Amino acid sequence: MPAPPPSGPSLSTFGPLGLGAANAGNLYTAMSDEDAAALFEAAWEGGVRHFDTAPHYGLGLSEERLGAFLRTKPREEFHLSTKVGRLLVPNEAFAGESDPFDQFDVPATRRRVVDYSSDGVRRSVEDSLDRMGLDRIDTVYVHDPEQHGAERTLPHLESALPAVCRLREEGVVAHAGVGTGSVAAARAAAAIGGIDLLMLAGRYTLLEQPAHPELLDECGSAGIGIVNTAQFNSGLLASPTPARDAHYEYAEVPEDKHRRAVRLAEVCAAHDTELPAAALQFGLQHPQVVAVVMGAATGDQVRQNVARMRASVPAQLWSDLREEGLIP
């Protein structure tokens, strides 16, 4: 199933930096509607015109808040993506409990139903449009096909990918893609074919590059653009000096990963560059990476990352990191 030319503007048209809206779904910590709006406004003021969300984020809260904000902006001026694979249905047994997926601090008034079927994909897109109150979505990603058991990854992809590609062919969306933190799942998606974009979480970062070279080469051959996310590896690269008590993959940092991060920071400092700036810009050094999507919990974090993306990073830094074997 070869991918047809994208039917909408290239993602690069909207700039190299996007904002992921998981935090607006009360990721780890609840925020008010006002704080969520301020987060999005800081991104808009910083020139960000690429926004990503998902039904999974806060049981739809992220989509609702992002939609409320984007309805105040000219539709042709931003790129919007969301995801499919988890339908949201009313939780008829709701008795005041919190979301059992404990990353999100929201009441469980809805529940997730795993559904990668053709009908489920179409319904998910329709539901997302209703929650956001918008007339269209630019990119739809098949979300986390690897997170429901290794034996189900390929069946989920084989079911959902043709469905999102049909939505593109019908003009419902402009781009079809897959969002995953698994190189194996990403390679399976590239092999099935048909997609325009791959949202890759944490697998091609300054700290580690398991996507290199096979996945990157396969995406190049198939004409698949990569949207790079989780550049800080859950926080380890988010500070100029990596803290021993930082997080890696949402857990405690292994000693070898911390040592590597410290060395990366030292090389960056020798070039008057902050580690987080190099981490944000690293992916864009590869021609297959068409955009970077950042996470942020506050307007100040957005403004800081916008400045980091604009910071000058000397070419010699990349050369020195490569010479030490820290990047390919």
Side-chain angles (χ1 to χ4, degrees):
M1 186 192 302
S7 57
S10 167
L11 189 52
S12 59
T13 302
F14 298 91
L17 184 62
L19 176 68
N23 286 96
N26 289 0
L27 179 64
Y28 302 124
T29 304
M31 69 168 62
S32 67
D33 291 344
E34 292 76 16
D35 286 344
L39 172 70
F40 298 139
E41 189 61 49
W44 191 271
E45 290 176 355
V48 173
R49 297 295 184 270
H50 172 183
F51 297 87
D52 176 71
T53 184
H56 177 55
Y57 303 156
L59 291 169
L61 180 61
S62 172
E63 287 187 323
E64 291 167 348
R65 285 172 163 172
L66 181 58
F69 173 77
L70 291 177
R71 289 197 300 272
T72 70
K73 306 300 181 184
R75 183 61 187 87
E76 67 279 4
E77 291 186 14
F78 61 84
H79 182 102
L80 172 64
S81 59
T82 192
K83 306 181 182 78
V84 296
R86 297 179 178 96
L87 285 172
L88 300 181
V89 301
N91 181 7
E92 304 292 354
F94 177 65
E97 69 274 18
S98 297
D99 180 9
F101 195 93
D102 60 10
Q103 287 184 346
F104 296 100
D105 185 2
V106 292
T109 55
R110 297 166 175 154
R111 59 186 179 88
R112 300 172 183 84
V113 175
V114 175
D115 192 337
Y116 290 84
S117 70
S118 180
D119 288 346
V121 165
R122 191 170 293 271
R123 176 180 166 186
S124 184
V125 169
E126 292 170 352
D127 289 350
S128 290
L129 287 169
D130 286 343
R131 280 190 292 271
M132 291 188 285
L134 294 168
D135 64 347
R136 70 182 188 277
I137 296 162
D138 298 300
T139 295
V140 168
Y141 295 105
V142 177
H143 197 192
D144 294 339
E146 75 284 2
Q147 289 193 5
H148 313 287
E151 74 283 359
R152 298 176 182 169
T153 301
L154 188 58
H156 285 334
L157 287 170
E158 289 175 336
S159 175
L161 286 186
V164 296
C165 290
R166 277 195 295 272
L167 290 175
R168 180 191 57 206
E169 291 157 7
E170 294 169 10
V172 176
V173 300
H175 305 281
V178 172
T180 179
S182 163
V183 170
R187 293 186 68 187
I192 292 170
I195 60 173
D196 312 308
L197 296 170
L198 174 65
M199 180 170 277
L200 190 62
R203 302 281 67 87
Y204 188 64
T205 73
L206 192 64
L207 183 71
E208 54 191 358
Q209 307 86 32
H212 182 276
E214 288 87 0
L215 176 59
L216 295 174
D217 290 347
E218 288 159 6
C219 287
S221 297
I224 300 169
I226 293 175
V227 178
N228 218 24
T229 70
Q231 298 83 13
F232 298 148
N233 290 100
S234 303
L236 181 56
L237 305 188
S239 301
T241 302
R244 190 64 192 86
D245 61 352
H247 289 97
Y248 166 80
E249 298 294 319
Y250 305 102
E252 184 177 341
V253 181
E255 181 58 37
D256 63 323
K257 301 296 184 184
H258 184 256
R259 286 198 303 269
R260 189 177 185 89
V262 168
R263 183 56 190 151
L264 287 166
E266 291 170 348
V267 178
C268 288
H271 291 276
D272 295 319
T273 299
E274 284 195 341
L275 175 63
L280 270 177
Q281 295 188 35
F282 166 73
L284 291 168
Q285 308 311 304
H286 195 284
Q288 284 309 118
V289 177
V290 296
V292 167
V293 169
M294 63 173 165
T298 67
D300 285 344
Q301 288 179 1
V302 168
R303 286 183 281 271
Q304 187 176 46
N305 285 333
V306 167
R308 287 167 170 168
M309 182 59 82
R310 293 173 177 168
S312 176
V313 175
Q316 189 61 44
L317 169 62
W318 308 122
S319 297
D320 288 355
L321 289 172
R322 195 167 290 113
E323 185 174 341
E324 283 203 30
L326 292 168
I327 62 173

